[in-house]
Amino acid sequence: MPELPDVQYYKSYVDATALHQRIDRTEVRDSDMVQGITARGLARRLKGRKLRSATRHGKYLFLEVADDGWLALHFGMTGRLEYVQDTDRLPDHTRFALYFHNGHCLAFDCQCKLGSIAVIDDPQRFVDDHQLGPDALSDDVDLATFRELMDGRRGSVKAALMKQETIAGIGNVYSDEILFRARIRPTRNVSQLDDRDIRDIYRAMRQVLPVAAERHADPDRMPRSYLMPQRHEGGHCPRCRQGLTKTKVSGRGTYFCKRCQK
DNA sequence: ACATTGACCTGAGAGC
DNA sequence: TGCTCTCAGGTCAATG
């Protein structure tokens, strides 16, 4: 579930909490979520240091370790961060934790273990190595660039939006939200879209993602005009009130309004 | 070369 | 009550 807006919120959360706190110790509770380094190696690298900054690309959060590389966090489906004061009460599925000198703790909780933590040298190189497309909110992605990214693709528009190599940050939930706002059916083939459709999708994307991030990516906080609060069995279109249709696109549960999305 | 499908993971909820 | 089944979805490997 953590897509761009969720991870953007985690970035602002880390900015406001764990940044600039000295790390006393680390705890790896689940070693298979830590990639490319042992628990002991990680502990040695982080002990006594501070997190200097946080950046994001797509669904990845990068934490700069003062003078010693970066942590690359991916949240999979269920990953989340929690900064807790009572270190005896970490979240139930804490896989990794940083204990700070101030007595607080940053816990990486991930029920389904689909997330990951890696130590890397440089975020830009990581992005290149993983062949991630430009971040969906990057200044580099203007309408013309977005057209180029979509150009020549086959398959559904939903699959195209979710493909991280094309454009990074959009997953199942927000592809539905963007296409709802653009009034385009997720099943539509990219090759069938005209210039105006692409423009509408671009505008919807640049509208939806920041608003969702501001609202902590919480469905209950979304504007009533958004699909997300209704994105469940029996949900209704916030525009025309008709019952939403649920189907599968690209193997993922997909919600849309038959009347509003053509 | 590109698109699609299944596996991985775990807990929640449904159905019997 | 308690068991089994299905589903959720990000990514990657395998298949089309």
Side-chain angles (χ1 to χ4, degrees), chain A residues 66-133:
Chain A
D67 303 317
D68 198 14
W70 297 71
L71 297 178
L73 269 49
H74 192 275
F75 296 92
M77 182 173 82
T78 53
R80 62 195 185 90
L81 292 175
E82 207 164 315
Y83 187 73
V84 289
Q85 185 160 20
D86 185 355
T87 53
D88 291 333
R89 293 235 184 116
L90 267 59
D92 287 347
H93 311 289
T94 297
R95 310 297 180 187
F96 171 71
L98 295 176
Y99 292 85
F100 298 105
H101 192 65
N102 67 2
H104 286 61
C105 172
L106 184 68
F108 185 109
D109 182 274
C110 193
Q111 184 206 102
C112 277
K113 298 185 10 179
L114 294 174
S116 65
I117 300 142
V119 177
I120 63 165
D121 291 330
D122 176 53
Q124 189 53 53
R125 211 181 128 192
F126 181 89
V127 166
D128 294 341
D129 289 347
H130 285 72
Q131 299 184 313
L132 295 177

Side-chain angles (χ1 to χ4, degrees), chain A residues 17-183:
Chain A
T17 56
L19 234 50
H20 312 305
Q21 307 292 341
R22 202 171 86 217
I23 299 165
D24 275 352
R25 68 186 180 91
T26 61
E27 182 184 14
V28 174
R29 293 191 179 181
D30 207 301
S31 56
D32 41 274
M33 281 189 55
V34 178
Q35 295 177 344
I37 192 168
T38 61
R40 188 182 293 186
L42 191 61
R44 198 179 309 140
R45 255 184 110 139
L46 295 179
K47 186 174 173 153
R49 299 187 189 273
K50 297 176 178 180
L51 300 177
R52 180 183 284 156
S53 67
T55 64
R56 182 192 58 72
H57 188 103
K59 300 173 187 175
Y60 285 91
L61 181 64
F62 301 106
L63 304 178
E64 184 186 8
V65 181
D67 303 317
D68 198 14
W70 297 71
L71 297 178
L73 269 49
H74 192 275
F75 296 92
M77 182 173 82
T78 53
R80 62 195 185 90
L81 292 175
E82 207 164 315
Y83 187 73
V84 289
Q85 185 160 20
D86 185 355
T87 53
D88 291 333
R89 293 235 184 116
L90 267 59
D92 287 347
H93 311 289
T94 297
R95 310 297 180 187
F96 171 71
L98 295 176
Y99 292 85
F100 298 105
H101 192 65
N102 67 2
H104 286 61
C105 172
L106 184 68
F108 185 109
D109 182 274
C110 193
Q111 184 206 102
C112 277
K113 298 185 10 179
L114 294 174
S116 65
I117 300 142
V119 177
I120 63 165
D121 291 330
D122 176 53
Q124 189 53 53
R125 211 181 128 192
F126 181 89
V127 166
D128 294 341
D129 289 347
H130 285 72
Q131 299 184 313
L132 295 177
D135 185 82
L137 285 182
S138 161
D139 291 339
D140 297 339
V141 182
D142 56 13
L143 177 56
T145 305
F146 185 70
R147 275 193 211 288
E148 285 169 23
L149 293 171
M150 291 294 140
D151 194 39
R153 299 203 128 273
R154 304 179 313 201
S156 70
V157 60
K158 168 151 171 156
L161 286 177
M162 290 200 300
K163 195 157 185 68
Q164 303 302 297
E165 290 89 336
T166 303
I167 188 164
I170 301 165
N172 196 34
V173 172
Y174 289 99
S175 58
D176 279 5
E177 190 68 60
I178 288 164
L179 292 169
F180 173 73
R181 189 175 183 88
R183 304 199 186 201

